[in-house]
Amino acid sequence: MLEKRQFYIDGQWVDPAIPNDFHVIDPATEEACGVISLGEQADTDAAVSAARNSFQSWANTPLDQRVALIKKLGDIYSARRDEMAEAIRAEMGAPIDLARNSQWGAGGWHLSGFLQALEKFDFEQKMDADRIRTEPIGVCALITPWNWPMNQVVLKAIPALAVGCTMVLKPSEIAPLSSLLFAEMVHEAGFPAGVFNLVNGDGAGVGSQLSAHPDVDMVSFTGSTRAGIAITKAAADSLKRVSLELGGKGANVIFADADEKAVKRGVIHCMNNSGQSCNAPTRMIVERSAYPHALEVAKATALATEVGPTTESGRHIGPVVSETQFNKIQGLIETGIREGATVIAGGLGRPEGMNKGYFVRPTVFADVTPEMTIYREEIFGPVLSIIPFDTEEQAIAMANDTVYGLTNYIQTDDDEKRLRVARQVRSGMVETNGVGRVQGSPFGGYKQSGNGREGGKWGLEEFCEVKAISGVPIG
Ligand code: NAD
């Protein structure tokens, strides 16, 4: 079992002010795989102070030197892939191939997307006689969740480092091992002391302390809408910038003329990472003439989705992250049944033959109606709701009938209809016909899915202030 109680502050590993052990649980075994310490105000203050003290000199470091360090970090991230995959597997229960490929890969993909965006990024532009400068916002608190740990850490730390911000990372206490490894990589790359700091802690402790801290200029947060609201309130007194990437309840609108793999693709996407993705297409909205066939395909696909140990190679899904999540998902499946939806695959309890680990049966509900809890609430487990529609207008209204607005999906062979519907759904991203977004494309939501845009040029801008200077001749 990994024991890693120290925090990374001012370029070194330091003991917590007050030791406060917290066990990291491997969700596949329900046993501890690590021990960390949860920080106190004194740890938060020490990390913020280190970030503050190093800010001016890091902001003034020439861009090519900052970029060289980021590239070195990228090389180390690649060289230590197996260690990173193992940390992610153990802490959040991704099967090892998912951890080595998508989970680890997302970090590298975003890192190189930022490097590309930096090549074209204008830190100073002219507007007639004015200079418009883009400058780092200052000290940033990065608060991240457990579901795609390196995806989220890289989406925050790399642009902040690139534009000249300094930072304190507080990873999810549930999955802190990958971030501790990331901090080791930052150290190995040789970033100046104080530029990147890590303090472990929970939301009520270090998370709230960072959000309210008078010397933090910005909080970049990914996680639940509940915590996003709490952070926004805590940050209000110091009027710091708060960038939010929150939950989702994505609609997958499948028209009768969609390609034959559309339903299967949608189910697989929903179940990926055991359903623990904010952008998962969890509401499948199917044109009525195609509904009966969609139910058959969805049922077959869910039944064919294997659930298995995280240490085994393969395309199966693993457990959900914790006992709390397991119980929450079971409760929502129960509610779905009570409210009258029909289970056509999966259901309550663990998959057959499993009696340990937070494994959930891939579950599909038919006969769902818009009033039902399972249609409205983010479940964050391998649970899909299917519902029919009659007209295009109705499909758009149903897709938009949610407090969230992260990613919606549209499947039809008709190019014009695809674009027409894409323009009318209220979400930060619309993926159509199974085509994923390109590298550096902005990731973020409308409505209660947040207000931030991460990745590429937009992700760099998030960590910047804009300054207009007049009256100085431009040569
Ligand atoms: P969570 O909100 O419980 O925790 C996320 C992080 O916030 C953790 O580090 C936690 O310690 C911290 N935190 C919790 N309460 C806090 C508070 N009051 N003040 C400060 N920090 C606090 O979320 P989670 O369970 O770790 O992650 C799942 C959620 O994240 C889902 O709702 C999912 O949709 C969302 N998510 C969104 C995106 C996106 O980009 N939109 C991506 C991944 C996950």
Side-chain angles (χ1 to χ4, degrees):
M1 184 167 65
L2 185 74
E3 297 194 25
K4 194 98 191 185
R5 294 182 177 84
Q6 292 185 313
F7 306 139
Y8 185 68
I9 299 176
D10 212 9
Q12 15 180 352
W13 291 96
V14 298
D15 289 330
I18 305 168
N20 182 7
D21 277 5
F22 182 87
H23 287 88
V24 182
I25 306 296
D26 178 337
T29 61
E30 301 183 31
E31 275 158 28
C33 61
V35 182
I36 59 163
S37 196
L38 300 181
E40 301 283 332
Q41 186 73 50
D43 305 300
T44 304
D45 289 347
V48 172
S49 159
R52 175 57 61 199
N53 293 338
S54 62
F55 172 61
Q56 212 52 58
S57 88
W58 180 243
N60 293 338
T61 300
L63 178 63
D64 58 347
Q65 288 180 29
R66 295 200 303 262
V67 166
L69 284 166
I70 291 170
K71 284 186 175 159
K72 200 162 169 204
L73 174 59
D75 292 343
I76 297 165
Y77 185 80
S78 296
R80 300 183 71 176
R81 175 179 181 172
D82 288 344
E83 280 172 87
M84 183 55 83
E86 175 53 23
I88 295 173
R89 182 204 66 75
E91 69 186 2
M92 58 74 64
I96 192 63
D97 286 353
L98 180 73
R100 286 196 89 247
N101 297 317
S102 307
Q103 286 277 5
W104 171 86
W109 196 66
H110 291 308
L111 190 145
S112 64
F114 284 121
L115 289 174
Q116 276 174 34
L118 273 170
E119 283 172 16
K120 295 190 218 129
F121 196 73
D122 271 333
F123 282 90
E124 187 165 310
Q125 302 173 51
K126 288 182 216 163
M127 189 184 171
D128 294 336
D130 281 8
R131 285 164 205 265
I132 312 296
R133 284 176 55 74
T134 302
E135 299 187 342
I137 190 165
V139 173
C140 301
L142 316 179
I143 303 180
T144 55
W146 45 261
N147 59 333
W148 287 93
M150 273 305 107
N151 180 67
Q152 280 120 9
V153 167
V154 168
L155 275 172
K156 298 184 189 311
I158 298 301
L161 289 167
V163 301
C165 290
T166 56
M167 65 213 68
V168 180
L169 168 65
K170 190 210 84 62
S172 168
E173 63 278 26
I174 296 172
L177 307 182
S178 53
S179 287
L180 285 161
L181 188 56
F182 185 82
E184 279 183 26
M185 294 177 184
V186 169
H187 186 76
E188 196 181 331
F191 283 85
V195 167
F196 175 94
N197 306 276
L198 178 150
V199 181
N200 278 317
D202 56 17
V206 177
S208 305
Q209 291 155 14
L210 286 169
S211 310
H213 206 291
D215 224 11
V216 168
D217 298 297
M218 170 181 178
V219 181
S220 174
F221 172 73
T222 300
S224 62
T225 297
R226 172 203 63 77
I229 293 168
I231 289 170
T232 306
K233 287 181 179 167
D237 284 340
S238 52
L239 285 178
K240 55 175 62 74
R241 182 183 299 172
V242 180
S243 170
L244 302 169
E245 302 287 346
L246 309 174
K249 190 76 189 175
N252 186 4
V253 179
I254 302 186
F255 287 93
D257 62 356
D259 67 281
E260 61 175 26
K261 295 209 173 112
V263 172
K264 184 172 179 187
R265 192 168 61 231
V267 179
I268 291 172
H269 193 165
C270 176
M271 306 294 173
N272 185 36
N273 206 36
S274 306
Q276 304 169 116
S277 300
C278 47
N279 58 351
T282 49
R283 293 180 297 147
M284 188 179 277
I285 299 178
V286 186
E287 192 160 2
R288 197 172 297 275
S289 60
Y291 183 70
H293 184 60
L295 294 188
E296 276 172 35
V297 176
K299 178 178 176 174
T301 310
L303 291 176
T305 303
E306 285 178 28
V307 184
T310 56
T311 45
E312 267 177 26
S313 196
R315 302 188 63 168
H316 55 282
I317 63 170
V320 297
V321 75
S322 63
E323 187 177 7
T324 310
Q325 283 298 116
F326 179 84
N327 290 338
K328 181 187 156 200
I329 296 161
Q330 295 299 315
L332 282 161
I333 295 175
E334 222 171 280
T335 306
I337 296 167
R338 199 181 54 245
E339 290 180 352
T342 311
V343 175
I344 58 169
L348 286 166
R350 290 186 173 84
E352 238 175 66
M354 288 184 149
N355 51 18
K356 208 163 188 212
Y358 307 122
F359 295 96
V360 174
R361 300 168 74 192
T363 298
V364 179
F365 279 105
D367 306 324
V368 177
T369 61
E371 303 74 43
M372 289 182 183
T373 309
I374 52 168
Y375 183 84
R376 312 209 73 81
E377 274 190 28
E378 186 184 50
I379 299 176
F380 235 55
V383 183
L384 175 69
S385 296
I386 312 189
I387 181 165
F389 73 87
D390 293 300
T391 64
E392 186 177 315
E393 292 66 36
Q394 198 188 4
I396 293 165
M398 286 163 79
N400 290 336
D401 181 20
T402 166
V403 295
Y404 296 111
L406 193 57
T407 312
N408 284 305
Y409 300 81
I410 302 163
Q411 325 293 332
T412 162
D413 270 354
D414 180 336
D415 291 350
E416 275 179 30
K417 182 159 64 176
R418 226 163 48 241
L419 185 58
R420 197 165 61 230
V421 177
R423 283 181 168 150
Q424 291 181 75
V425 292
R426 304 270 302 152
S427 56
M429 296 162 286
V430 184
E431 292 189 16
T432 75
N433 284 4
V435 180
R437 294 166 318 109
V438 299
Q439 195 174 33
S441 181
F443 188 104
Y446 282 20
K447 304 195 274 180
Q448 290 187 24
S449 289
N451 55 17
R453 289 295 178 274
E454 293 194 319
K457 162 178 160 326
W458 293 269
L460 295 169
E461 284 173 353
E462 288 241 306
F463 290 92
C464 293
E465 289 282 20
V466 176
K467 180 188 277 174
I469 304 177
S470 60
V472 183
I474 298 176

